[in-house]
Each structure stands twice: as structure tokens, then as C-alpha cells.
Amino acid sequence: MLWNLQEQDGRIKGFDTAYYEIRLNENGELTSVFDKKRERQVLSAGQAGNRLLAFEDRPEEYDAWNIDAYYEEKQWVVEGLSECRVTENGPLRGCISIRRTFLKSVIEQQIYFYRHTGRIDFKTRIDWKESQILLKAAFPVDVLTDKAVYDVQFGNVERPTHRNTSWEQAKFEVCAHKWADVSEAGYGVALMNDCKYGYDIRESVMRLTLLKSGIFPNPTADQEVHTFTYSLYPHDGDFRTGGVVQEAYDLNCPLQAVPVREKTAEPGEGRAWNGENRSSAFCVAVDAENVLADTVKKAEDGDGITLRLYETYGKRTRTRVTVPASAGKQAEDCDCMEQPLGRLELEDGAISLEFRPYEIKTIRIR
């Protein structure tokens, strides 16, 4: 998976993958990510990606919650590289392991490159011992745009990437869920995460907030071991055509294989699998890529199965949702509290639905 390895003093300086030509500096940061498929550089010239930045974080009040606008006045680049080596190199993925020390803390990362996707994962473990220091990961990307798009629950929002007005200056930190994206015509880059929800994107520098470590009300907040993953994902077009939403779901909800062995049932009970009847499996199929089945659960009152779906591109869409025939014989349109609004036609396990932009629908099957 990783080839053309370049090493110096026992540390990796560069290598190629199925998607990229990668170069690293003496601090283990990415100085070049050349996209071979699209023949262009992902990072801005002369700058480093996956740069960890530490900021003095002393807000005037609400130490555990607030980030004040002046936090950038004191900042440091996290260096202290002690390890940079290949720890996995198979046919499906390769991994570079990096270890750094910062003050009393230890930061370890496994950077994964894949054969099946252009997503680059930074699996991170931090043993954090600091107070009132904000930690961010920065990626200066070569994308020209004046706005960024951020994922929120059941949709997304846009924010400017400049600070020309007082209103824009107040938006220096943005709450988001699984991803943030910057795109120009034909090309874009997404910065994803599996549990970190603060971003700031200025000009074309994408930064993700990793740790805060306030001292009030808990004087030792965040001084513990943290494990999380964030990802860089270059793509065609904008977040819609680039499949950013789907890739972010793959990061946050990876498909897991579970071994199942056949179990001999008692006479008259039929065949069973791990003690459960095979027909108890519940799978939902949606034929529109922009309509996502976010939730599949038992109805709150115990009667039937509840599906919650939403439209994520801001696009009016007609789609068919297919459920197992064993799920039930009738379907209802409900509000978010699962109160029925009307009957839906359920034919051969399929329901036809029409979504307005960013609409949420709750369906009960019973």
C-alpha cells in the first residue's frame, strides 16, 4: 500500500499511496499531499498540514465553555517528535505512526492511507496533562472560496471564511458535527471527525479543536487519556458530488462484521441463528443518495418500528424506502414525537416519499 519510501535518520520523509504522493517534514507534518487522480496539490504551497497548534486559553468567564476571540495571541507549534515510522503496510491500507511530547503530555497518532478511499485518517491518542491550553489540528488547503459548509444534525450550514465585518469576526469558532468542507468549482476538501465539534476556517486554513482543558468548575478537566479520529478527504466538486456526507458516516458508523453461527433449534421452533430467528434482522434501503436513514429503532410505545429519515443536500427529492416484509403491514407518517399524522401506502415493503429541502420525516411501521 505504501511504496517509494524515503527515509532519513530512521524517520519517514515521503512515500506514495494509491491516491497521493506524500512528503513529511522533520516534525512529521505533511508538507505535500499531491492528488494523483486529479493532478493537483491538496495543501497550500510552503505550509504544513496536520500541524498541531497550542493556544493559551484564558476566557474572561465560563472557563470550561467559552473561547474568547483573543485566544490566538499566544500560540505554539507542537513539536517534540520522537517517532515517525511505518507500522502497517498491507494490500488494503498502510499506516505511519507518529509520537510527540508537548510539555508533560504525550501525543500519538496512527495515520492511515487506504486503497478503497481517498480519506486519510488520523487516529489519535493523547495523554493530556495541561491546563488552560487549547489544542487544534490545522490543514492549510489549496482551495479558493469565501465560505465553508458545516454539518449539523439533519442538515448543514454555511459560514464565511473571512472576517471583514464585526458579525463575521464573531463567528471565529463554529459548532459542527461530522464534517466541515471548503470547495471551489470542481474540487474541495473536507475535514471530518468522530467526536470533536468545534471548527474554525479562515481563508483556506481548516482547523479542528481537539482539547480545551479549562480549570473551572473542574480544576483538572481533560487531564486524562483521549482517543479520537479526524480525517482529511479531498474530493471532486462540492460536498454533494464529492460524497462527503456518506464518507463521514463511514467514519462515524463503520460497517461491522459479526460472526454468526447456526444454532440447532428445539423441535417445532424452526432454524435459528445465535438464538434469534433470521427474520428478525431489519434492513432499510433508500434509493436516493441524499436521503439518509438516520434512525431505526423500536417505537416509543413499543408498537412497531420507527424510522427517521432526512434530506441532506437541500434538494427536493422523491424516493422509495424499502423495509423487510416482516416489519409490518401498515405505515404511518408521524411527527418527531411519533404522534401519527396519516397513513402511508406500503406496497411490497416499499413506501414512496417526497422530501422538501432538509426535511425530516418520521415513519412508523407496524
Side-chain angles (χ1 to χ4, degrees):
M1 182 62 213
L2 307 179
W3 63 89
N4 293 334
L5 287 165
Q6 303 171 23
E7 299 183 73
Q8 181 178 345
D9 299 327
R11 294 178 182 173
I12 303 299
K13 306 297 290 183
F15 52 89
D16 295 348
T17 77
Y19 288 85
Y20 307 111
E21 295 174 3
I22 304 292
R23 299 296 177 266
L24 307 176
N25 63 14
E26 63 280 357
N27 194 36
E29 300 165 335
L30 304 173
T31 56
S32 175
V33 180
F34 183 77
D35 189 330
K36 296 192 290 187
K37 175 183 176 182
R38 303 169 184 94
E39 298 186 337
R40 60 172 290 166
Q41 180 61 240
V42 177
L43 301 178
S44 299
Q47 300 193 52
N50 195 36
R51 170 160 287 180
L52 299 181
L53 300 173
F55 303 85
E56 185 179 72
D57 180 36
R58 298 176 182 269
E60 293 184 3
E61 57 182 357
Y62 306 117
D63 193 64
W65 296 275
N66 281 4
I67 300 175
D68 287 348
Y70 54 77
Y71 80 94
E72 294 178 292
E73 293 179 3
K74 292 184 180 180
Q75 62 176 284
W76 305 268
V77 176
V78 175
E79 297 178 333
L81 181 69
S82 60
E83 179 181 284
C84 181
R85 60 190 180 91
V86 176
T87 53
E88 185 175 338
N89 196 2
L92 300 181
R93 73 177 187 181
C95 178
I96 303 295
S97 290
I98 291 177
R99 189 177 191 272
R100 297 185 177 92
T101 56
F102 174 71
L103 300 178
K104 299 178 182 179
S105 302
V106 177
I107 303 171
E108 298 174 329
Q109 291 190 308
Q110 282 75 49
I111 307 176
Y112 288 100
F113 302 86
Y114 301 97
R115 181 179 180 179
H116 71 285
T117 176
R119 194 181 81 213
I120 304 171
D121 288 347
F122 299 83
K123 186 177 181 180
T124 306
R125 181 185 186 274
I126 301 179
D127 188 359
W128 191 248
K129 304 298 183 186
E130 318 309 325
S131 295
Q132 294 189 304
I133 291 181
L134 186 74
L135 185 68
K136 287 178 174 280
F139 292 88
V141 297
D142 189 14
V143 174
L144 183 61
T145 182
D146 61 357
K147 65 181 180 182
V149 184
Y150 300 86
D151 176 57
V152 297
Q153 189 176 27
F154 304 131
N156 48 76
V157 296
E158 293 183 357
R159 294 288 183 267
T161 61
H162 49 77
R163 301 179 185 176
N164 294 340
T165 69
S166 59
W167 286 22
E168 293 162 354
Q169 291 168 13
K171 300 174 183 177
F172 61 88
E173 186 85 2
V174 179
C175 297
H177 278 187
K178 296 181 286 295
W179 55 268
D181 185 83
V182 292
S183 299
E184 61 187 29
Y187 195 78
V189 179
L191 181 56
M192 304 173 179
N193 77 91
D194 68 353
C195 64
K196 300 295 178 181
Y197 305 131
Y199 287 86
D200 77 89
I201 299 178
R202 185 173 184 181
E203 304 303 335
S204 292
V205 180
M206 310 180 75
R207 300 197 305 203
L208 176 67
T209 301
L210 306 180
L211 292 172
K212 194 176 191 309
S213 58
I215 60 172
F216 181 83
N218 182 357
T220 59
D222 288 341
Q223 293 186 22
E224 55 188 76
V225 175
H226 302 259
T227 57
F228 52 87
T229 300
Y230 56 89
S231 306
L232 192 71
Y233 182 58
H235 56 82
D236 291 320
D238 62 5
F239 77 91
R240 300 173 179 87
T241 57
V244 170
V245 178
Q246 294 79 6
E247 195 72 35
Y249 264 99
D250 286 345
L251 172 65
N252 281 263
C253 307
L255 184 65
Q256 297 183 4
V258 178
V260 177
R261 63 180 179 83
E262 188 172 8
K263 178 181 178 181
T264 303
E266 295 298 326
E269 292 184 359
R271 306 180 79 185
W273 296 75
N274 276 1
E276 298 288 339
N277 190 290
R278 294 181 68 185
S279 64
S280 64
F282 193 99
C283 298
V284 179
V286 184
D287 66 4
E289 67 174 9
N290 57 310
V291 175
L292 301 182
D294 182 83
T295 304
V296 179
K297 69 180 188 69
K298 193 172 183 178
E300 287 297 307
D301 62 7
D303 183 13
I305 299 293
T306 296
L307 312 180
R308 184 156 291 124
L309 307 101
Y310 73 100
E311 196 287 317
T312 189
Y313 287 180
K315 174 184 176 183
R316 292 182 183 270
T317 303
R318 292 178 180 175
T319 187
R320 284 172 61 86
V321 178
T322 305
V323 299
S326 59
K329 298 185 180 299
Q330 70 180 52
E332 292 178 324
D333 186 17
C334 300
D335 61 20
C336 287
M337 299 299 291
E338 301 187 16
Q339 300 301 312
L341 300 176
R343 295 285 291 272
L344 295 171
E345 184 176 348
L346 178 61
E347 184 177 351
D348 296 328
I351 309 166
S352 295
L353 298 173
E354 184 170 349
F355 285 81
R356 298 191 303 274
Y358 298 116
E359 184 178 6
I360 305 166
K361 285 186 181 292
T362 303
I363 309 298
R364 179 188 293 203
I365 312 293
R366 55 182 171 179

